[in-house]
C-alpha cells in the first residue's frame, strides 16, 4: 500500500475521545472507571493504526474492525484489569517446578499468613516486656526443636531472601578477602544464572579450585590450604550427576580436614530436606540434619524446595558463625518480610508436629504409585466416551528443584492422544483452559501425572480433556 493510501485510511479512524464517549461505553466506565476505558480505547486504536500502516487492513477491514470496536475494547479491559499471575494445574509430575512457583503452600500457612499480615503483628516486638524483639526468634525456636543435640556447639538458623542470597551472605561473612576451597566438580550453575564462581566473586572471596571435574581427594584440599584460606565449601550438584571414574571425599572426611586446620566447613545443600528422604525411597540424599551431624558448620538451603515452604534462603549452623552473619550489613539488605516469616513459621510448625501431609509438596512425595494409579483409572473411565484415546501406564514423577537429579518416584500416567490432533495441539488446548493445565509430551502423546494435581482438581482436568477436540 502506498503511504498516501494508508494515510487516507488512517483518517477514517475516530479519535480516542469520540469512541470513549459513545453511550454504549458508559456502562464500562461505571464498572471499570473512565480512565481505564480511555486507556483501553487508546490501545485498540493504536493496534488498528499499526495494522493500517503495515498494510494488513484495507478499507473493508477497517469497516469491520470499527463495527467490532466495542467488543475489542471490552476484551482489552478484561485483559488489562485481570491478574497476570494466576493459578495453574500442574499435571507434569514435577513436584518442585521452578517455572510453576516451586512448592505449593500449606493451608495452615495461608491461614497464618492472612491472620498475621492483614493487621499488625509482633514481628519485631517482645510482647511480655513490651520491648523491641528480633524477627528471627519466631523461626529459630522451631529449628531448635528440629535440630536437637547435633553436637557440643549451639546451633542457630537465620532466613534471607533465597538460597542464592544465603550463599552470598555466608561467603561474604566468612571469607571476604580470603580464599574458599571448592572442588572443580562442584562449580555448578543452577537454573536462573546462579553460578558458584560468580557468587564467589560478588562476595569478594577468592575461589580456589581443587581436584578435577570427576575426581577430588581429601589431599587436594589439604594441599590448597594456606594462610589466606578462610573456608572449605561443598556444593550439592543438584541438577547433574558425575558417573563413572569419580571420587569425592565423604563430608565427614572434609569435616576432619576443616577441624584439623581450624577452618569452617560450609555446605550449599540447595534442596535441604528436613525429613529423611529414605522414607520415600530416595537414597544418598543428605538432609540438613545429616549434614550438620556430619560436622558441617554452616548449611545453606532453599525454603521452597524440599522444605515445601515459601521462597527463602536458610542458613543453619554454629551460633557464633550465624551471629556474625546477622551482624553483616548484607543481612539487612537480604532480609525477608513478615509474609515469608508467617508462611515459614507455619510450615516449620507442621514439621514439629509431624503433620507432614499438611505440606502439599511432602504429601505429593509420599503418595504411592497405587494412590496416583487409582485416580488415573477413575479419570480414564470418565473419559471413555470422549474422542480421546486414553491409556494408563507406568512412569516416573520428578521431585525437581535440584533434589538429586536421579530422584524419581514411580507413578502412573495418563497418556492421551486424539485421531485429529497432534500432542502439541492437545497440550495447547489444555493450557487455554481456565485454569490452564500444564502437561508434558513424550513420544507423540500428552502425559498427565496426577501426583502433582490436587485431588479436588481432578474433575476440572476431566472437563478440560472432554472439551479437547470436541
Ligand atoms: C536451587 C539451588 C540454589 C539456588 O537456590 P534459590 O533458593 O533458588 O536461590 C543454590 N544452590 C544449590 C545447590 C541449589 O540447588
Amino acid at each position: 500500500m502506498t503511504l498516501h493510501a494508508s494515510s487516507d485510511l488512517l483518517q477514517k479512524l475516530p479519535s480516542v475521545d469520540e469512541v470513549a464517549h459513545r453511550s454504549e461505553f458508559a456502562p464500562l466506565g461505571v464498572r471499570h472507571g473512565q480512565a481505564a476505558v480511555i486507556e483501553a480505547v487508546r490501545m485498540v486504536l493504536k493496534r488498528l493504526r499499526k495494522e493500517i500502516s503495515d498494510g494488513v487492513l484495507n478499507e473493508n477491514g477497517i469497516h469491520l474492525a470499527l463495527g467490532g470496536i466495542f467488543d475489542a475494547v471490552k476484551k482489552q479491559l478484561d485483559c488489562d484489569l485481570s491478574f497476570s499471575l494466576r493459578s495453574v494445574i500442574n499435571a507434569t509430575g514435577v513436584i518442585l517446578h521452578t517455572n510453576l512457583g516451586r512448592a505449593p503452600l500449606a493451608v495452615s500457612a495461608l491461614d497464618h499468613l492472612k491472620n498475621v499480615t492483614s493487621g499488625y503483628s509482633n514481628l519485631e516486638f517482645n510482647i511480655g516486656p513490651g520491648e523491641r524483639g528480633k524477627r528471627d526468634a519466631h523461626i529459630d525456636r522451631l529449628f531448635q526443636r528440629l535440630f536437637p543435640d547435633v553436637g557440643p556447639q549451639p546451633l542457630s538458623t537465620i532466613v534471607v531472601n533465597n538460597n542464592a542470597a544465603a550463599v552470598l551472605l555466608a561467603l561474604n561473612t566468612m571469607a571476604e578477602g580470603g580464599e574458599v576451597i571448592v572442588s572443580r566438580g562442584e562449580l555448578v550453575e543452577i537454573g536462573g544464572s546462579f553460578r558458584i564462581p560468580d557468587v564467589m566473586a560478588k562476595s569478594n572471596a577468592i575461589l580456589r579450585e581443587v581436584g578435577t571435574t570427576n575426581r577430588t581427594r581429601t589431599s587436594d584440599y589439604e594441599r590448597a590450604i594456606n594462610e589466606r584460606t578462610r573456608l572449605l565449601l561443598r556444593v550439592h550438584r543438584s541438577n547433574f550427576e558425575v558417573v563413572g571414574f569419580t571420587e569425592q571425599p565423604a563430608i565427614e572426611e572434609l569435616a576432619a580436614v576443616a577441624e584439623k586446620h581450624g577452618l569452617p566447613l560450609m555446605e550449599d545443600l540447595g534442596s535441604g530436606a528436613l525429613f529423611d528422604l529414605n522414607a520415600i525411597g530416595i537414597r544418598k540424599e543428605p538432609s540438613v540434619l545429616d549434614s550438620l551431624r556430619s560436622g558441617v558448620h554452616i548449611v545453606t538451603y532453599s525454603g521452597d524446595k524440599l522444605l515445601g515452604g515459601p521462597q527463602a534462603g536458610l542458613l543453619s549452623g554454629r551460633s557464633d558463625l550465624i551471629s556474625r552473619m546477622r551482624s553483616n550489613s548484607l543481612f539487612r539488605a537480604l532480609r525477608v518480610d513478615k509474609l515469608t516469616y508467617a508462611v515459614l513459621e507455619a510450615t516449620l510448625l507442621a514439621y514439629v508436629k509431624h503433620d507432614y501431609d499438611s505440606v502439599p509438596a511432602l504429601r505429593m512425595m509420599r503418595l504411592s504409585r497405587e494412590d496416583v494409579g487409582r485416580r488415573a483409572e477413575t479419570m480414564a473411565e470418565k473419559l471413555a466416551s470422549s474422542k480421546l484415546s486414553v491409556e494408563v501406564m507406568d512412569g516416573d514423577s520428578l521431585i525437581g528443584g535440584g533434589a538429586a537429579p536421579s530422584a524419581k518416584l514411580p507413578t502412573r500416567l495418563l497418556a492421551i492422544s486424539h485421531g485429529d490432533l497432534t500432542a502439541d495441539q492437545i497440550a495447547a488446548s489444555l493450557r487455554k483452559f481456565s485454569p490452564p493445565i500444564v502437561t508434558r509430551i513424550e513420544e507423540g502423546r500428552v502425559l498427565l501425572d496426577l501426583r502433582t494435581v490436587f485431588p479436588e482438581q481432578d474433575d476440572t482436568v476431566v472437563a478440560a480433556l472432554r472439551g479437547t477436540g470436541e
Side-chain angles (χ1 to χ4, degrees):
M1 189 177 314
T2 65
L3 258 179
H4 179 72
S6 106
S7 77
D8 269 0
L9 290 175
L10 284 170
Q11 299 279 327
K12 294 191 188 294
L13 291 182
S15 74
V16 173
D17 267 356
E18 197 185 311
V19 176
H21 288 100
R22 286 182 193 163
S23 59
E24 57 180 321
F25 283 78
L28 292 183
V30 172
R31 210 162 133 215
H32 303 293
Q34 194 60 17
V37 176
I38 289 175
E39 190 49 38
V41 172
R42 198 188 306 283
M43 287 304 293
V44 169
L45 288 176
K46 188 175 161 194
R47 229 169 21 235
L48 287 180
R49 264 199 304 280
K50 176 151 192 329
E51 284 174 15
I52 293 171
S53 328
D54 291 349
V56 289
L57 265 193
N58 58 17
E59 186 145 3
N60 194 33
I62 293 175
H63 187 72
L64 279 173
L66 290 178
I69 197 158
F70 179 75
D71 287 339
V73 170
K74 237 175 107 195
K75 213 164 141 194
Q76 181 71 39
L77 272 169
D78 280 347
C79 176
D80 290 349
L81 302 177
S82 62
F83 291 120
S84 160
L85 184 61
R86 51 201 290 224
S87 79
V88 305
I89 293 179
N90 174 11
T92 64
V94 181
I95 299 172
L96 302 165
H97 198 305
T98 297
N99 301 148
L100 304 182
R102 290 197 185 154
L105 302 177
V107 173
S108 61
L110 298 176
D111 289 345
H112 189 44
L113 171 74
K114 182 153 182 269
N115 183 31
V116 160
T117 63
S118 50
Y120 299 100
S121 68
N122 64 338
L123 181 66
E124 288 189 0
F125 186 64
N126 233 330
I127 297 174
E131 289 163 356
R132 196 182 162 186
K134 275 195 183 142
R135 57 178 70 200
D136 341 329
H138 304 293
I139 61 115
D140 188 56
R141 79 186 175 103
L142 296 173
F143 277 109
Q144 295 299 338
R145 307 196 37 184
L146 292 169
F147 304 146
D149 306 324
V150 168
Q153 307 255 21
L155 296 181
S156 311
T157 298
I158 50 171
V159 193
V160 289
N161 188 46
N162 52 27
N163 187 34
V167 174
L168 176 69
L169 175 64
L171 292 177
N172 179 263
T173 305
M174 294 189 284
E176 186 172 25
E179 291 181 6
V180 179
I181 305 181
V182 196
S183 159
R184 279 208 171 80
E186 298 169 16
L187 294 175
V188 297
E189 170 171 331
I190 317 284
S193 71
F194 173 89
R195 289 176 153 197
I196 289 290
D198 296 349
V199 179
M200 191 80 72
K202 292 281 185 212
S203 74
N204 259 335
I206 299 152
L207 173 65
R208 184 72 194 267
E209 300 171 39
V210 295
T212 60
T213 308
N214 55 334
R215 302 194 79 171
T216 304
R217 300 182 184 82
T218 315
S219 55
D220 294 321
Y221 289 85
E222 291 265 15
R223 262 201 309 278
I225 292 174
N226 63 67
E227 71 283 356
R228 292 179 305 277
T229 308
R230 296 283 175 277
L231 179 72
L232 306 187
L233 173 64
R234 159 68 58 94
V235 182
H236 190 287
R237 287 193 182 120
S238 286
N239 48 7
F240 76 106
E241 268 176 306
V242 182
V243 291
F245 187 56
T246 66
E247 186 172 344
Q248 191 185 33
I251 194 77
E252 291 81 0
E253 294 176 84
L254 273 191
V257 175
E259 197 66 43
K260 181 169 150 204
H261 295 271
L263 289 167
L265 170 64
M266 161 174 161
E267 182 166 30
D268 174 16
L269 257 189
S271 244
L274 294 184
F275 62 98
D276 183 4
L277 283 152
N278 284 295
I280 53 165
I282 290 165
R283 322 256 167 242
K284 290 192 282 181
E285 185 76 4
S287 68
V288 179
L289 191 54
D290 291 334
S291 178
L292 292 168
R293 285 205 169 121
S294 309
V296 173
H297 302 114
I298 293 290
V299 186
T300 64
Y301 49 105
S302 297
D304 54 355
K305 291 186 180 171
L306 283 173
L307 196 152
Q311 178 188 302
L314 293 131
L315 296 117
S316 294
R318 237 169 59 189
S319 294
D320 59 324
L321 295 170
I322 292 290
S323 167
R324 280 173 55 200
M325 302 197 201
R326 199 190 270 110
S327 343
N328 186 334
S329 58
L330 261 183
F331 178 58
R332 176 64 183 76
L334 302 173
R335 81 173 184 192
V336 296
D337 68 347
K338 60 193 177 207
L339 282 78
T340 305
Y341 273 102
V343 175
L344 192 57
E345 184 184 26
T347 309
L348 294 171
L349 201 53
Y351 279 96
V352 168
K353 296 192 218 163
H354 295 266
D355 182 13
Y356 301 120
D357 278 345
S358 73
V359 179
L362 297 190
R363 186 171 66 230
M364 289 170 182
M365 279 179 236
R366 288 149 55 90
L367 285 178
S368 71
R369 171 181 167 281
E370 290 69 31
D371 293 333
V372 184
R374 265 191 299 277
R375 285 165 56 203
E377 297 289 353
T378 306
M379 206 175 268
E381 278 163 30
K382 289 186 181 169
L383 292 167
S385 60
S386 75
K387 291 185 181 162
L388 299 167
S389 114
V390 182
E391 189 198 326
V392 180
M393 60 182 231
D394 281 337
D396 293 311
S397 310
L398 284 177
I399 291 191
S406 53
K408 291 178 183 161
L409 302 169
T411 197
R412 297 282 284 165
L413 302 167
L414 279 162
I416 312 275
S417 54
H418 186 288
D420 306 326
L421 298 174
T422 65
D424 281 328
Q425 285 170 325
I426 298 171
S429 151
L430 292 173
R431 286 198 309 274
K432 273 209 198 104
F433 200 75
S434 182
I437 300 168
V438 186
T439 58
R440 56 181 152 127
I441 295 177
E442 262 168 43
E443 294 172 3
R445 289 200 291 185
V446 170
L447 302 181
L448 281 81
D449 185 345
L450 299 182
R451 183 184 293 279
T452 49
V453 175
F454 290 77
E456 58 271 25
Q457 296 173 327
D458 284 3
D459 288 341
T460 309
V461 174
V462 170
L465 285 168
R466 279 228 183 91
T468 300
E470 287 293 300

